[in-house]
Amino acid sequence: MSEGKIALLPDHVANQIAAGEVVQRPASVVKELIENAIDAGATRVTLIIKDAGKTLLQVNDNGYGMNPFDARLCFERHATSKITNADDLFRLATKGFRGEALASIAAVAQVELRTKRAEDAVGQKVVIEGGKFIVQEECQSPTGTSLIIKNLFFNIPARRNFLKNDQVEQKHILEEVERIAIPHTNVHFVVNSNGNELLNLPAGNLMQRLKSLLGSYIQKELVPVEETTPYVKISGYVSLPEFTIKQRKEQFLFVNNRYIRSAFLNHAIYEGYKDLIGPQSHPRFFIFLELQPSEIDINIHPTKTEVKFTDDKTVYMLLSSAIKRALGKANASPSLNFENEMSFAAPSLSAMPKAPTIGYNPAYNPFSNPAPLENKSNKANWENLFDGFQNKQDSTENLQQELTAIKSETVDFTPIQLNQKYIVAIWQQNVLIVDQQRAHERVLYEHYLNSNLLHPVASQQKLFPDQIELSVNDFTLVKDLIPELKTLGFDLDIFGKNSIVVNGAPTDMEDFNIPEILEGILETFRLNTIDAKVEKHDNLSRAIAKNTCIRYGKSLDTTEMKALIQSLFACENPLYTANGKYVMMTVENSEIEKFFRK
Ligand code: ADP
Ligand code: MG
């Protein structure tokens, strides 16, 4: 008889194959390592990455640590301390349970583990490269575990080449961190990338965590959701209807503190908003469902972001009514009370202007761009719009009609200026009145707010740097704010005692007297710090916007007014200033009709 054809795969080959499923990109490693840290009871987790995790990816935790035996065993496939028999699968309280992650990661990278338990005097170091055990020895280590992953996919060039650029890979990493950080608010998370601290999320409650992730402004845009039934407990936050946005962003669902995606749960949430928001408006949501582990099956997808419930219908119904109730309680909708008060009513929900273009980029200073209405991104959007119609409609006649209708609604309005203070326009047959100063302040605020270390505001280097003498107070404040100010386009350096030198300022501040503006910004910043606990970056963005926006009394020509309105509508939240004041009001056509019927 000839020899059989079947042979068992060597372990390191099997691990490499398994790795294909678990480790798709640096972000998958981040997820597995941080989940392990949480499972180990850590209260502080630090993630350090270099080149978006391609060169280095390190997770340090202060959890239980491992003994010398486990430090070696944890890299074996199906090595897990978390389940011991199949029944445990239905009582799952930990994140991991397959015992595959470390084996898979070690198969495709150079891995160093350092770990120590509180009761041990010395720690253990284990090195594994491409699945091959290199060394295990004693080492100095704080209590907890540190996993250092170098040169991911070094032994699978095809996979390595398949990775996207650093910016994209880093975005995936930060997404994974968010998904774990939001439900685990008792854990302090720090993320450091190429030597810069990207995230620092101290332990706190859910609202504090959301504020440190998204900015303090988020608090007044959200309402709490709270519903407890014997089958499921629902909690979290959702957007007030007037703060819904034009993109689907920041929509998080967690089942038993695990991030999941679910089209039907999303649907339940939107159902809760029915009749309160338009078809292009999307709420932010951070919703937590808690059920008996036996009522759910999470293990139906390898990356575990899908879920099945034993009773889908009940979950759907309870969730949508929980949202409805939360919104009802907040009594969210400001309504246009035309009969009693003609002038200063809030814009009603149905009158909330729809953005004229899809995803138009806020041109932050409309006046530095002579023809913003014709700029490239806008054109591209018109083309997209056209594409959409082409797909939907094959009758060219209809298409033509719809397009003309839309274009005339969005671009062909001619605004007029009232008292050098307001911009008045006809908008979808309603009268729209925009406060010019507040509108520009909103546009600038979002522009600065959206900058971060990775995408700083463009800065113009000065030919003759300004040297500014400051009060001791201002000097101390500026010193503290230098990194944030750099992100916002101000290139400053300390210049001796109580002096700074400004080497560069945001590109669009050319016409401003920088020392004067800076003084104003510091003053506003200080006032805001006293009034409201606003986070630094957010606060500075407000202060800059307030000090550099156009004022009442400035005449605007038609192009400028159009540009301002366009930029405003492209804002996440065009209705209010950062401090919650109305930016615009509308008088609806139906209200006009009703008035003249009398
Ligand atoms: P799983 O998490 O599915 O059990 P892993 O491969 O991720 O599988 O981890 C294997 C085992 O290694 C875990 O069950 C745990 O006992 C141990 N382990 C991994 N990471 C840590 C850590 N950060 N702290 C303590 N123990 C850990
Ligand atoms: Mg794990």
Side-chain angles (χ1 to χ4, degrees):
M1 253 180 59
S2 64
E3 232 175 82
K5 287 204 174 78
I6 299 176
L8 284 174
L9 288 173
D11 266 0
H12 72 275
V13 178
N15 284 340
Q16 261 190 30
I17 294 171
E21 213 188 314
V22 183
V23 189
Q24 280 132 13
R25 51 177 12 129
S28 356
V29 178
V30 166
K31 172 176 187 283
E32 295 297 337
L33 297 187
I34 297 186
E35 286 189 347
N36 280 349
I38 306 249
D39 282 347
T43 54
R44 189 184 166 94
V45 176
T46 307
L47 167 67
I48 300 164
I49 53 175
K50 231 182 240 163
D51 308 322
K54 294 173 188 169
T55 322
L56 171 85
L57 199 160
Q58 176 171 358
V59 173
N60 304 335
D61 71 51
N62 63 351
Y64 307 143
M66 287 177 259
N67 70 18
F69 180 74
D70 286 347
R72 173 67 189 89
L73 196 68
C74 70
F75 292 106
E76 294 299 324
R77 243 174 117 203
H78 306 304
T80 177
S81 54
K82 298 168 195 171
I83 55 172
T84 47
N85 60 49
D87 277 355
D88 286 352
L89 273 175
F90 298 99
R91 292 193 283 268
L92 221 55
T94 54
K95 313 271 149 214
F97 55 86
R98 293 160 168 257
E100 275 181 341
L102 289 183
S104 302
I105 295 165
V108 294
Q110 295 156 345
V111 175
E112 182 180 317
L113 161 73
R114 284 161 175 267
T115 188
K116 187 181 89 66
R117 300 181 305 170
E119 61 263 46
D120 296 332
V122 288
Q124 289 288 316
K125 173 175 145 181
V126 175
V127 179
I128 298 203
E129 295 187 355
K132 291 200 196 74
F133 174 78
I134 308 286
V135 68
Q136 173 163 15
E137 60 196 21
E138 291 190 338
C139 73
Q140 290 305 317
S141 166
T143 297
T145 301
S146 166
L147 269 150
I148 306 166
I149 315 298
K150 285 187 195 147
N151 302 317
L152 186 65
F153 299 134
F154 78 103
N155 53 352
I156 316 182
R159 292 298 295 274
R160 203 177 162 84
N161 295 336
F162 183 71
L163 294 177
K164 300 279 187 326
N165 66 43
D166 285 6
Q167 210 176 321
V168 173
E169 292 300 339
Q170 176 159 307
K171 193 169 150 264
H172 285 292
I173 290 178
L174 292 177
E175 268 167 17
E176 289 297 350
V177 175
E178 281 180 349
R179 291 171 186 178
I180 306 175
I182 294 175
H184 296 97
T185 60
N186 58 324
V187 181
H188 185 164
F189 290 93
V190 176
V191 178
N192 186 297
S193 163
N194 296 326
N196 295 317
E197 189 173 279
L198 289 190
L199 284 180
N200 190 334
L201 311 171
N205 61 27
L206 177 59
M207 180 46 82
Q208 285 162 338
R209 171 97 349 145
L210 295 178
K211 278 168 40 176
S212 29
L213 270 171
L214 300 168
S216 312
Y217 72 92
I218 201 71
Q219 180 157 19
K220 65 174 189 306
E221 302 192 357
L222 299 176
V223 277
V225 179
E226 197 70 65
E227 201 76 68
T228 308
T229 75
Y231 182 66
V232 59
K233 176 172 181 277
I234 302 170
S235 62
Y237 290 95
V238 297
S239 290
L240 283 159
E242 71 263 42
F243 287 109
T244 51
I245 55 181
K246 284 160 214 138
Q247 303 115 290
R248 282 173 191 272
K249 252 181 30 177
E250 281 120 29
Q251 301 192 329
F252 292 87
L253 275 169
F254 303 91
V255 172
N256 292 359
N257 279 353
R258 190 193 292 272
Y259 173 83
I260 57 124
R261 284 176 222 269
S262 159
F264 101 92
L265 291 180
N266 277 7
H267 198 274
I269 292 174
Y270 278 83
E271 181 65 25
Y273 279 91
K274 206 171 161 201
D275 301 329
L276 289 176
I277 60 174
Q280 265 108 50
S281 307
H282 301 283
R284 293 185 167 95
F285 53 78
F286 310 88
I287 290 290
F288 295 77
L289 305 184
E290 279 166 64
L291 300 88
Q292 288 300 320
S294 56
E295 301 290 349
I296 55 175
D297 178 4
I298 283 199
N299 191 24
I300 57 169
H301 191 267
T303 53
K304 295 173 274 183
T305 54
E306 281 168 21
V307 68
K308 264 198 206 149
F309 301 95
T310 50
D311 188 353
D312 278 0
K313 281 206 189 87
T314 301
V315 177
Y316 183 99
M317 200 200 69
L318 291 174
L319 180 56
S320 68
S321 67
I323 304 285
K324 266 196 202 109
R325 219 189 314 268
L327 298 175
K329 250 193 224 155
N331 198 6
S333 44
S335 67
L336 183 78
N337 195 343
F338 195 80
E339 312 250 80
N340 305 336
E341 203 175 14
M342 270 184 59
S343 44
F344 287 104
S348 73
L349 283 174
S350 59
M352 162 136 179
K354 303 283 176 292
T357 55
I358 311 152
Y360 175 78
N361 239 338
Y364 110 85
N365 186 343
F367 309 126
S368 65
N369 188 343
L373 289 180
E374 260 132 49
N375 79 13
K376 254 202 216 130
S377 70
N378 206 15
K379 244 193 209 139
N381 281 324
W382 280 118
E383 276 157 21
N384 287 346
L385 196 63
F386 196 79
D387 281 344
F389 280 111
Q390 258 169 347
N391 295 339
K392 210 171 66 189
Q393 303 264 355
D394 33 21
S395 144
T396 33
E397 212 176 300
N398 274 351
L399 172 74
Q400 212 44 53
Q401 270 174 12
E402 282 201 46
L403 263 180
T404 340
I406 283 191
K407 281 194 179 172
S408 60
E409 260 175 15
T410 53
V411 178
D412 287 351
F413 60 79
T414 307
I416 51 166
Q417 201 181 16
L418 174 66
N419 300 340
Q420 296 187 319
K421 196 172 175 195
Y422 302 108
I423 301 169
V424 183
I426 307 298
W427 178 258
Q428 296 175 338
Q429 300 184 327
N430 307 316
V431 182
L432 178 73
I433 305 167
V434 177
D435 179 308
Q436 65 184 47
Q437 181 169 328
R438 292 181 184 181
H440 194 218
E441 192 188 324
R442 179 78 217 180
V443 171
L444 291 175
Y445 168 63
E446 289 201 7
H447 169 72
Y448 285 100
L449 189 68
N450 286 333
S451 69
N452 55 41
L453 274 176
L454 297 176
H455 307 283
V457 169
S459 173
Q460 171 88 53
Q461 287 299 307
K462 291 196 155 281
L463 217 46
F464 305 103
D466 287 308
Q467 193 194 327
I468 314 175
E469 186 95 30
L470 295 169
S471 68
V472 185
N473 271 350
D474 277 355
F475 181 72
T476 330
L477 182 59
V478 167
K479 244 178 30 190
D480 183 43
L481 291 175
I482 281 183
E484 280 83 13
L485 285 165
K486 282 218 163 104
T487 301
L488 293 165
F490 287 96
D491 185 1
L492 313 176
D493 276 318
I494 304 290
F495 192 74
K497 193 166 170 275
N498 295 342
S499 287
I500 55 165
V501 51
V502 185
N503 301 312
T507 340
D508 294 276
M509 277 191 206
E510 261 172 14
D511 301 337
F512 287 94
N513 175 337
I514 297 299
E516 221 169 75
I517 285 292
L518 208 58
E519 223 165 274
I521 291 172
L522 294 178
E523 196 184 312
T524 318
F525 180 90
R526 240 196 225 103
L527 281 176
N528 273 340
T529 326
I530 299 165
D531 279 1
K533 289 242 163 299
V534 186
E535 169 264 335
K536 271 189 212 166
H537 178 70
D538 190 330
N539 193 351
L540 272 176
S541 304
R542 287 171 194 224
I544 296 175
K546 209 168 195 82
N547 284 276
T548 58
C549 62
I550 57 161
R551 300 297 149 124
Y552 301 130
K554 181 171 165 57
S555 332
L556 303 173
D557 65 29
T558 312
T559 320
E560 289 172 331
M561 287 189 279
K562 275 186 175 181
L564 181 54
I565 292 188
Q566 283 270 357
S567 309
L568 180 67
F569 285 4
C571 283
E572 286 261 292
N573 185 348
L575 291 184
Y576 299 88
T577 65
N579 296 326
K581 297 203 177 119
Y582 290 123
V583 169
M584 63 176 102
M585 66 174 286
T586 54
V587 182
E588 275 187 77
N589 181 44
S590 58
E591 298 293 342
I592 300 174
E593 289 297 330
K594 208 159 108 197
F595 182 82
F596 287 109
R597 232 174 276 140
K598 284 183 195 159

